[in-house]
Each structure stands twice: as structure tokens, then as C-alpha cells.
Amino acid sequence: MDLSSNQAWLERSQAAVWHPCTQMQHHAATTSPAHLPLVPIARGSGAWLYDFDGKRYLDGISSWWTNLFGHANPRINAALRDQLDTLEHVMLAGFTHQPVVELSERLSALTGGALGHAFYASDGASATEIALKMSFHYWRNVGRPEKAEFLCLAGSYHGETVGALAVTDVALFKDAYAPLVRAASVVPSPDFRQAAAGETPADVARRAAAALEKHLQEHGARIAALIVEPLVQGAAGMAMYDPEYLRLARQLCDQYEVHLICDEIAVGCGRTGTFFAHEQAAIRPDLMCLSKGISGGYLPLSIVLCSDTIYAAFLDDSVARAFLHSHSYTGNPLACRAALATLDIFATDDVLAANRLKAAKISAALAPLADHPQVGHLRQRGMIAAFDVATDDPYFSRRFYRAALDRAALIRPIGNTVYLMPPYIVSDEEIALLGQAISGALHESLGKR
């Protein structure tokens, strides 16, 4: 068999690989409306991915929200080549190294020094676990062991490991493992799609904050932390909300002595228009989770930044009071070097200003969809744009995905929500192509039943 062809790699992958977040039968059932294409990728360049048969796909979702500056970015590549010749890995228990120190310092500086220490892992769910454990253990260390429960927003998603599922409110991911999960309490989301007639997004935020206040009045003595995805709840269908909610949540967390954890895994690193999404509310969390884009989409890396107050509560002669959490590849030098190269691009290219211009182009490319009779809640926050499609077709998302691939675009809806989250290096012409692909795929997928 020709090993340079798509078919060869499809067969080998289906025989050996269990793909994530997938019913594998949908890859095999090619004649079913539930069919989910499996696309072998040979290489990437810029905003494009290329298969083994020479077809290319414009990466409209940044390969699951990770890629910031394009595939095979020359500057990140060069940094990694240099690091390969210096130090590939060393355990971070009892050792340290230049990339992890410099990255920790630079991330703290980006918070104005409010979050002074960085703890490292390899993926977003692990970062969530770390933040939850830090909060829980902090309250025990300071003599408040009763503060051992967590709050999350309706529709929240913070990962799929057992601890992260506790604060994930998406039944599809959670229900099968319910006996393993110590569930958190759920408070209303400030999702502005829930606005009543005459309500503004800020009104919805204040209404949700009032519900949070009521819960804290009744249960605050037992709550360790509230965890939120700032401004955009990804798996909830790119649910967007007003920064007013974060401002009020910060005040309430202070009032009731509850940690505020900002999960910036998907929305950090410039996605919403500021480097950290929570900056738009002029607040700082007690704990912040980063992953996905922080390495430029190159290598597995996640980070939890914490306040000095939390860090200090673990300093003691007793090992039992230490934060005894570890991963073998914690603070991997290659991943940290990729992150440093990513921050260098932000620093030298004025990325946030450039993104404002690109965000306007994305808005213009999608604007005609506002008049579509089945499109609702066309919305945007920085480089994230989304809309909801009114259809009862259970296979809509897969039909749309296939139709977009046929138009050389990688756009994978979340249920009935179509969204764009492209790499920051996407050109005006590529943005226009994405807009055209979305329009065409929408027409085709709604017309086929």
C-alpha cells in the first residue's frame, strides 16, 4: 500500500489509534449521516493543514484552540531547535532550569505581580485539578477545613479528569462517571443569550451575580473556590458574557472568603482581545489556569499561577503541609521554551493591536449571516466569533463539518453552535475564505436531511 496516501494512514489509524472525544464507530460508518471524517494530516504551514493527497484545510479553530501563530512558525521552530541542543528535560523536583524560571517570571509580570508563583503540568484538565487541590489544601493549612466545596457556572467545562469533571457541567462528559465524581454546586451562568426582553448583557451578568450572592450567603462558609471561564464558556457553545459578572464575582469572593479561579486555558493568550480575559473586568483571580495557546500550540504545557498568600500557606517544616502534586514532565524545558518564544512574538509584534483589526475583518465576514432565518445570537469577543443555528437535525454539526471540509475549511461546530477561532496570523483573504466556507456549509448542511 502507498504509505504516502490518505487511505493508507486512515486504515492504520483506525486499526491502532483511539481518537479523543469521538465515537469511533462514526469514523467507520461512511454512509451514515453520523459519519465523522478522519483526516490524515501530513504537514502544516501557517494557517493551513495539508493531507497526504495534497488537499489543504484552513484551520479555522486553531486545532482545538491551541495554535496562535500558525503551524511550523519559524520563530518558535528556531527556539525549539536551540533548546534541543541545550536541555530537553530534567525533573523539576530538586532541580530548576532557565526556561522555567524565565517563563514563571514573565507570566507573573503579566499579572502585575499579583500571581507570583507558577506550578506546571501538561494539560488543561491537570491545571484545573491543581488549582482545586491548591484551594482545598490552602483552607486546610490555614485552619479552615470546613471550606472544602466548589462552585462552577451552569454549562461550565474545565476538563475531563475526575477532579475536573467535578466542576464541569456538561452531561455528555460527566454523567457516565457520576459515581466517581465529587460534584460541585452549580450557579447560573451569565450567558447573555439568556437575556429577557429589554435586558442588556450587563443586566444578565448582574442577575447571575445576584444568584451567586444568594448561594454564598447560604453556603459561603463551606465554599473553597468559585471557578469560571472568563467571558467565554467554550463547551457551552461559546457562551459569552459581560465583564460585569467577573467584577461582581471578585467582590463576592472577597466578601465571603472564597478563592476565585480563572480558567484561562481556552480564552487566555489574547483570544478575547486582552492577553488575559479577566483583565477586561479590571480584576485579578487568586488562581489562574493556562494551557492551549501558551505554548503556541506546539507542546503540551499547562500552568497554574497563584497569589503569594496561597503560596505562603504551604511553607512549613512539615512535608504534609507542602503541595505534594507532581507530573514527570512538569516544567519541561522544550515546552517552556516554546512558551517563551510565543511571549516574544506578543512582545515584538504588538499582537493584540493587530488582532483588533483582524477581529473587525472576522465580524465583517460573518455579518451577512445575521439575516439568515435560522441564525441567532451572532456574537464575538475578540478573535472568537460564534452563532447558533435553529435546527432539530441531530446530525447538523457533522453535516456542517463535512461540508466545511469540502470547502477547504476546518470548522467543527459544538452542537448547533458554529464558531471561528483562527490563528492570529490568518490573512484578510483567509478570513474571507472562512466566511465563504461557513456560508456555503450552512446552506448545504441545512438543505440535506
Side-chain angles (χ1 to χ4, degrees):
M1 182 177 290
D2 181 5
L3 294 183
S4 64
S5 71
N6 279 354
Q7 188 59 37
W9 290 108
L10 279 172
E11 292 179 11
R12 289 176 65 177
S13 188
Q14 287 177 314
V17 181
W18 196 339
H19 293 268
C21 200
T22 301
Q23 170 50 263
M24 292 297 292
Q25 182 63 27
H26 293 163
H27 282 326
T30 57
T31 60
S32 166
H35 175 55
L36 192 67
L38 182 61
V39 184
I41 295 299
R43 65 184 182 91
S45 178
W48 293 88
L49 296 165
Y50 297 80
D51 69 17
F52 287 86
D53 292 342
K55 187 174 181 180
R56 66 178 190 164
Y57 307 92
L58 184 52
D59 192 352
I61 60 170
S62 296
S63 292
W64 254 353
W65 321 345
T66 61
N67 190 281
L68 298 190
F69 299 116
H71 301 280
N73 181 280
R75 284 184 278 182
I76 301 176
N77 286 358
L80 286 173
R81 289 190 187 99
D82 178 71
Q83 188 61 44
L84 277 169
D85 291 331
T86 306
L87 177 67
E88 82 298 338
H89 184 65
V90 64
M91 65 182 186
L92 206 61
F95 292 86
T96 194
H97 53 80
Q98 182 176 344
V100 78
V101 172
E102 291 183 350
L103 180 57
S104 302
E105 291 172 343
R106 289 178 67 174
L107 289 173
S108 178
L110 286 170
T111 72
L115 304 179
H117 286 80
F119 196 97
Y120 289 81
S122 302
D123 59 88
S126 293
T128 297
E129 303 258 349
I130 289 164
L132 296 176
K133 287 175 68 176
M134 279 183 176
S135 177
F136 174 90
H137 201 163
Y138 168 87
W139 291 115
R140 189 179 73 174
N141 278 359
V142 299
R144 304 280 299 278
E146 72 280 3
K147 294 181 77 65
E149 299 175 13
F150 297 101
L151 284 178
C152 64
L153 299 182
S156 60
Y157 174 89
H158 300 285
E160 295 161 36
T161 51
V162 171
L165 281 176
V167 289
T168 288
D169 185 46
V170 180
L172 181 66
F173 298 119
K174 188 172 183 175
D175 285 358
Y177 311 103
L180 304 177
V181 175
R182 182 185 179 212
S185 297
V186 179
V187 292
S189 167
D191 178 0
F192 67 61
R193 292 176 296 182
Q194 300 174 3
E199 275 193 318
T200 66
D203 291 333
V204 180
R206 285 187 281 269
R207 178 156 50 85
L212 171 63
E213 182 173 23
K214 184 175 186 298
H215 188 95
L216 290 175
Q217 286 173 343
E218 297 173 2
H219 308 289
R222 301 199 303 272
I223 302 299
L226 165 69
I227 184 169
V228 299
E229 300 161 85
L231 303 186
V232 183
Q233 293 180 262
M238 297 300 162
M240 299 184 185
Y241 61 89
D242 193 276
E244 176 74 354
Y245 183 81
L246 295 176
R247 188 183 68 80
L248 294 173
R250 175 72 276 178
Q251 292 177 359
L252 290 167
C253 286
D254 289 341
Q255 180 180 347
Y256 290 94
E257 297 182 287
V258 169
H259 291 143
L260 177 61
I261 303 172
C262 280
D263 173 355
E264 296 256 2
I265 291 164
V267 299
C269 302
R271 286 291 182 194
T272 66
T274 47
F275 191 83
F276 301 124
H278 70 261
E279 294 177 271
Q280 295 180 44
I283 60 117
R284 293 294 185 197
D286 302 291
L287 293 148
M288 178 167 60
C289 303
L290 295 172
S291 191
K292 291 189 182 291
I294 191 60
S295 74
Y298 265 67
L299 288 165
L301 178 68
S302 64
I303 306 159
V304 176
L305 295 170
C306 76
S307 68
D308 290 343
T309 299
I310 290 176
Y311 176 78
F314 291 84
L315 300 178
D316 194 89
D317 287 337
S318 170
V319 174
R321 290 175 63 89
F323 188 61
L324 301 180
H325 185 107
S326 61
H327 298 264
S328 298
Y329 284 93
T330 290
N332 173 258
L334 288 167
C336 290
R337 188 67 184 275
L340 286 167
T342 298
L343 294 182
D344 286 342
I345 296 173
F346 272 101
T348 60
D349 290 10
D350 201 2
V351 171
L352 297 179
N355 280 0
R356 286 192 285 272
L357 299 177
K358 292 182 188 292
K361 296 287 186 180
I362 292 171
S363 180
L366 298 183
L369 294 172
D371 295 327
H372 193 289
Q374 288 177 261
V375 168
H377 300 291
L378 182 61
R379 56 197 180 275
Q380 187 171 357
R381 176 72 70 172
M383 291 291 285
I384 307 172
F387 60 87
D388 303 324
V389 180
T391 175
D392 59 0
D393 179 5
Y395 303 116
F396 165 76
S397 64
R398 290 169 206 161
R399 295 186 201 277
F400 186 100
Y401 176 58
R402 295 195 300 264
L405 288 176
D406 289 341
R407 291 162 173 79
L410 169 52
I411 303 166
R412 184 168 169 158
I414 302 171
N416 285 10
T417 298
V418 177
Y419 72 92
L420 272 184
M421 199 188 297
Y424 302 158
I425 50 85
V426 67
S427 69
D428 291 353
E429 293 76 17
E430 289 164 344
I431 290 171
L433 189 154
L434 287 169
Q436 294 161 9
I438 287 174
S439 180
L442 183 66
H443 177 77
E444 179 179 334
S445 57
L446 291 176
K448 288 185 176 180
R449 291 298 295 270

